[in-house]
Amino acid sequence: MRALLRALPWLYLALLYAFIFLPVVVLVLFSFQDGRLPVPPFQGPTLRWYGEVLSDSRLMAALGNSFLVALGSSALSVLLGFLAACGLARYRLPGSALLRGVLIAPMTVSYLIIALGLLSTLNAAGLPLSLWSVGAGHVVINLPLCFAIIYASMGGHQVSMERAARDLGAPEWKVMWLVTAPMLMPALLAAFFLSVTFSWDEFIIAFLLSRFDVTLPVEIWSLLRSGLSPRTNAIGSLVFLVSVALLLVLEATVFRKAGRR
Amino acid sequence: MTAPVSVRGVSRFYGEAAALADVSLEIAAGEFIVLLGPSGCGKTTLLSILGGFVSPSAGQVFIGGRDMDGLPPAKRPTTTMFQDYALFPHMSLIDNVGFGLRMRGQPRRARDARAMECLEMVGLATSAKRRPHELSGGQRQRVALARALAVDPDVLLLDEPLGALDLGLRRQMQEELKAIQKRVGTTFIHVTHDQEEAMAIADRIVVMNAGKVEDFATPAEIYLRPRSLFSAGFMGECNFLSARVEGPAGQGALALSGPAGPLTLPEAAFIGPAPAPGTRVTLCIRPEHLGPGPGGIPLGQGRIERLAFLGAHTRAVVSGATGPLIVALPQNSTAREGDSIALRAAPEALVALPAAGD
């Protein structure tokens, strides 16, 4: 009886993880399928589909686009979020509670609505759809997140260092660049990598706001329309691998540092 | 470098409350000044105004003859050593110390040389590549001092820099601060609430209370001839006795009626002009100027209530006709609790101030 009680939490844990990760495991497993369809029984393994994926120039172009959009939009989101956090944390502004609320508000709006809103705005303004518009959409969804993370980590303890820097002759932008930003590095990196992962898997905005150059999720979607194939499993596995790699980098650089302090 | 500081009629209000009320000070170049007072007396506000972090509601500050009105901290010839040191945690010591020079556009080679010089001055040259979190409190403090001095300011402002150190280290740092100040010649303005610290390091002390300057003189003058009751009480233990001026007693002396009968005081004992007959005054007597005699102004008999041996002297609480008095008995005194002793005050060390409320 006691042994059972002790085993129960472990069983629960195992079931929970199985529920979360089983689809991913199936996806990865059947990317090695030696056959035309990614369905049981498993035959193989083979690396044929990976070879095909990596030699597909359209897929590789989409992969490159995805990286470009993810890195560019995340860098911009972090920069804007940092500047907003500095302003709102360090100065008493009229209506700062309202400003904070408005900055965070896009988090509560669905991506579909944001994408539709941007689409009609761009149409009305006569701007063409491109990777730039996708990037702008990703800044819209990631800026609130970056702002929230950075703002939360701006405590009072940096204030005296900033004061010291000013006292030693630093102009305001140098105070931010040489003192505030380096001290907030863990938060800045966390915001950046989270933004990269969100932008990396984002589909709706990327789908509605792009035309000729598309990001990887959009390319995968158009492949799926022609039916299931181990090829899509292989791409999915690669995307998953990149996400895991990002997560590990985040864990190793940011959270370990934060934990040590 | 060094420069005189002139504070003229400076006030600072927070809403209705005055943190500083019409403060004026003339500080000479190269002086070590201590702003001394209890918390909330306005000493830190005054320091922040000198550093440019707070702007005065009224009045002017001149440093080296230049009006500081509207100048931000970065543009002032001052640097501040902050209470929490405020070292940059992500920079090595040499980069911390060189930061001010970097802001002044000095190339790395020159600023590293100067930073090493300053680190050497505070005895931390061998730790130049380390980060602040690897240092002890006293070492961080030295780095903060080196950083503030590296840019060669005219005036160094020190905001209770020794407050977080334990007693032994604090005494040692006081010595070092004083020695370094003598060497560099910069005007130091140091804030503290510790009266012993003030006496140990200051050329002149500014005693502050409730936003006003109570006294501004050398430690000895403030201790021996305090200009106000607050200043007398804040600079160490003091007995206060009330008395009334009766009239002149000839030969530049005044007759008073004291708590233990009539007494005569030289005019020199009064701070300011000799008061008119009928004025109430408060006599301030330091514990070491009170004792069984021989000689001196008699203040009646008293019974020793408590004794405490403090090393340099024995502190006795004596109850007499005039209420409890504190007496510093000599180290070799054989008095015991319960003994009755005669109390006499040394006349030359006695100070009479206008009574409270006048």
Side-chain angles (χ1 to χ4, degrees):
Chain A
M1 188 65 200
R2 278 185 67 171
L4 186 70
L5 274 180
R6 215 174 307 157
L8 260 179
W10 291 105
L11 188 68
Y12 169 71
L13 192 71
L15 280 175
L16 189 73
Y17 277 133
F19 179 74
I20 296 173
F21 286 110
L22 201 57
V24 181
V25 171
V26 171
L27 175 96
V28 175
L29 180 68
F30 282 98
S31 69
F32 298 107
Q33 175 83 323
D34 194 3
R36 296 227 127 261
L37 284 174
V39 288
F42 180 66
Q43 303 152 335
T46 176
L47 286 174
R48 177 179 141 210
W49 304 112
Y50 284 91
E52 235 175 71
V53 163
L54 290 174
S55 57
D56 184 328
S57 62
R58 273 182 53 198
L59 269 176
M60 286 304 108
L63 187 82
N65 290 342
S66 265
F67 266 118
L68 208 64
V69 169
L71 296 178
S73 71
S74 302
L76 189 60
S77 304
V78 168
L79 177 69
L80 294 177
F82 172 66
L83 292 177
C86 280
L88 285 168
R90 293 291 179 260
Y91 299 97
R92 204 171 292 182
L93 302 171
S96 64
L98 184 72
L99 283 175
R100 275 204 306 274
V102 170
L103 267 169
I104 304 222
M107 257 198 235
T108 61
V109 182
S110 97
Y111 287 6
L112 182 62
I113 306 289
I114 289 174
L116 287 176
L118 272 168
L119 188 60
S120 45
T121 310
L122 289 171
N123 275 337
L127 292 168
L129 296 179
S130 65
L131 286 180
W132 289 100
S133 48
V134 177
H138 286 181
V139 170
V140 172
I141 59 168
N142 283 331
L143 175 59
L145 178 85
C146 291
F147 169 72
I149 293 174
I150 298 166
Y151 183 76
S153 67
M154 290 191 86
H157 63 284
Q158 294 114 353
V159 174
S160 62
M161 283 87 171
E162 290 166 9
R163 210 159 76 123
R166 257 173 236 133
D167 184 54
L168 290 167
E172 211 52 36
W173 70 271
K174 277 194 179 169
V175 173
M176 280 200 273
W177 176 245
L178 295 174
V179 177
T180 315
M183 283 197 296
L184 288 174
M185 202 38 88
L188 296 177
L189 286 178
F192 179 74
F193 285 118
L194 276 177
S195 295
V196 169
T197 46
F198 283 157
S199 169
W200 176 252
D201 322 309
E202 201 285 326
F203 172 70
I204 295 272
I205 294 174
F207 177 65
L208 288 175
L209 295 181
S210 61
R211 183 153 292 170
F212 304 114
D213 294 321
V214 293
T215 61
L216 197 55
V218 178
E219 189 61 40
I220 293 173
W221 183 78
S222 61
L223 278 178
L224 276 173
R225 284 199 301 183
S226 58
L228 285 177
S229 150
R231 219 152 74 96
T232 45
N233 286 39
I235 308 164
S237 304
L238 286 177
V239 170
F240 178 65
L241 189 71
V242 171
S243 300
V244 169
L246 273 177
L247 201 73
L248 287 179
V249 168
L250 193 68
E251 187 72 37
T253 57
V254 179
F255 294 126
R256 228 185 55 205
K257 224 183 218 168
R260 206 169 24 157
R261 275 187 192 172
Chain B
M1 281 192 292
T2 182
V5 176
S6 169
V7 177
R8 299 182 193 166
V10 164
S11 300
R12 170 72 207 189
F13 298 96
Y14 290 104
E16 285 290 292
L20 277 183
D22 194 20
V23 168
S24 295
L25 294 171
E26 291 296 330
I27 295 167
E31 264 193 306
F32 200 135
I33 296 292
V34 171
L35 306 180
L36 174 69
S39 49
C41 71
K43 57 193 193 297
T44 301
T45 305
L46 180 56
L47 200 77
S48 301
I49 286 175
L50 292 175
F53 297 104
V54 170
S55 51
S57 308
Q60 288 167 299
V61 172
F62 291 82
I63 297 177
R66 217 149 54 91
D67 190 352
M68 291 290 123
D69 185 39
L71 281 187
K75 299 246 164 73
R76 294 191 178 212
T78 60
T79 50
T80 306
M81 186 172 162
F82 295 96
Q83 194 168 13
D84 55 0
Y85 317 145
L87 299 177
F88 307 128
H90 55 286
M91 292 184 197
S92 63
L93 300 194
I94 195 162
D95 288 343
N96 259 287
V97 175
F99 188 85
L101 301 166
R102 184 175 171 189
M103 293 304 111
R104 281 156 181 73
Q106 282 212 19
R108 175 165 275 282
R109 195 180 275 265
R111 68 176 194 251
D112 278 0
R114 169 72 180 148
M116 276 312 278
E117 208 178 287
C118 292
L119 280 172
E120 222 155 89
M121 179 173 68
V122 297
L124 280 170
T126 53
S127 311
K129 293 283 171 215
R130 295 166 78 183
R131 295 284 178 95
H133 68 88
E134 298 172 62
L135 304 182
S136 69
Q139 288 173 323
R140 282 182 212 190
Q141 229 248 332
R142 281 164 219 223
V143 177
L145 178 65
R147 183 177 70 176
L149 285 174
V151 297
D152 202 5
D154 288 343
V155 179
L156 180 69
L157 307 171
L158 304 101
D159 184 8
E160 298 205 35
L162 309 182
L165 304 181
D166 59 55
L167 192 65
L169 196 53
R170 200 182 316 172
R171 295 273 172 275
Q172 188 193 334
M173 279 309 296
Q174 287 167 6
E175 292 297 318
E176 279 184 39
L177 269 183
K178 185 82 189 157
I180 286 172
Q181 194 264 345
K182 277 220 172 99
R183 226 167 91 196
V184 296
T186 303
T187 309
F188 275 34
I189 302 181
H190 177 120
V191 159
T192 184
H193 53 78
D194 178 352
Q195 157 259 335
E196 281 184 50
E197 179 173 311
M199 295 179 90
I201 56 180
D203 291 329
R204 285 197 292 166
I205 298 176
V206 181
V207 181
M208 295 183 68
N209 182 38
K212 291 202 174 79
V213 174
E214 295 272 345
D215 213 337
F216 181 24
T218 63
E221 278 178 274
I222 292 185
Y223 187 82
L224 296 173
R225 289 188 62 79
R227 239 178 281 261
S228 79
L229 290 176
F230 176 85
S231 163
F234 202 77
M235 289 291 278
E237 281 191 313
C238 196
N239 296 298
F240 295 112
L241 298 172
S242 60
R244 215 172 77 97
V245 179
E246 295 298 343
Q251 289 175 341
L254 285 174
L256 293 95
S257 61
L263 53 108
T264 336
L265 281 182
E267 256 178 50
F270 294 86
I271 305 293
T279 316
R280 298 213 63 87
V281 295
T282 300
L283 308 179
C284 308
I285 312 163
R286 297 279 176 204
E288 63 271 27
H289 299 142
L290 206 55
I297 299 163
L299 291 170
Q301 287 278 320
R303 205 178 85 95
I304 298 178
E305 297 288 339
R306 274 193 309 283
L307 278 175
F309 180 72
L310 298 181
H313 64 266
T314 299
R315 181 179 182 274
V317 180
V318 180
S319 69
T322 57
L325 294 173
I326 296 154
V327 180
L329 297 173
Q331 207 177 31
N332 56 5
S333 159
T334 54
R336 289 154 165 266
E337 286 182 10
D339 285 359
S340 175
I341 58 168
L343 292 172
R344 287 165 178 280
E348 69 283 356
L350 207 152
V351 169
L353 286 164
D358 285 6

